[in-house]
Amino acid sequence: MDIHEFLELPHRFRWGGVGGDDCLTFPASWAARVTGTDPAEEYRGTYRDREEAQEILRLFGGSLGLMEHQLALVGAVRVHQPTTGDIGLIRAMTGDTRDERIEAEIGAIRFGPLWACIHPAGVRATKAEFIAAWRLPA
């Protein structure tokens, strides 16, 4: 499966990554398709909302620590110039409504010059600053 086929699949936003994905399980689902191993497997279904997700992030010192640890499990390596199919941690605006929009760290997948990420309304591709990026093994 290539990135285009993956992004065309029906995606739903679901905290905990069961029956859908959230902002960190979405790129993990892509990694699972590419490598055959789900880097988020041990956490899927263990949280149901943003607050419970934050508890897991605190264990790793934040999103970067969690992604670094979990992506190492599938052999991903850090890159400085991400290309299509790479996984990234980006800074982007998020929230269910305009009144709740906040800047957040979000897991995403590089798609040309954009980053694809999951949102309550579905998959969105956006320009964004990346904090870190990883290349999955072929």
Side-chain angles (χ1 to χ4, degrees):
M1 171 174 289
D2 69 19
I3 187 68
H4 295 92
E5 293 167 325
F6 177 77
L7 294 175
E8 288 175 2
L9 293 172
H11 294 280
R12 295 173 25 176
F13 186 92
R14 292 287 182 263
W15 285 109
V18 176
D21 280 306
D22 59 41
C23 60
L24 291 178
T25 64
F26 177 68
S29 292
W30 167 242
R33 297 279 182 147
V34 172
T35 68
T37 302
D38 181 1
E41 182 178 14
E42 70 183 287
Y43 296 107
R44 286 189 191 272
T46 65
Y47 60 98
R48 296 176 311 258
D49 57 32
R50 182 182 316 248
E51 291 74 27
E52 290 178 357
Q54 291 296 326
E55 290 176 26
I56 294 169
L57 292 175
R58 277 191 282 281
L59 296 173
F60 290 90
S63 301
L64 179 60
L66 175 66
M67 289 183 75
E68 187 79 56
H69 181 267
Q70 297 308 115
L71 288 169
L73 298 176
V74 298
V77 295
R78 287 279 288 268
V79 294
H80 297 288
Q81 295 191 3
T83 60
T84 295
D86 289 345
I87 290 176
L89 178 63
I90 65 170
R91 258 191 205 95
M93 297 304 288
T94 187
D96 294 339
T97 68
R98 285 202 175 283
D99 295 337
E100 295 177 11
R101 307 237 346 128
I102 58 168
E103 186 175 72
E105 294 179 356
I106 300 169
I109 306 162
R110 188 70 172 188
F111 184 64
L114 305 174
W115 290 97
C117 51
I118 192 81
H119 180 274
V123 174
R124 298 288 185 253
T126 186
K127 288 187 177 185
E129 171 189 344
F130 75 96
I131 298 164
W134 296 265
R135 184 151 303 140
L136 298 168

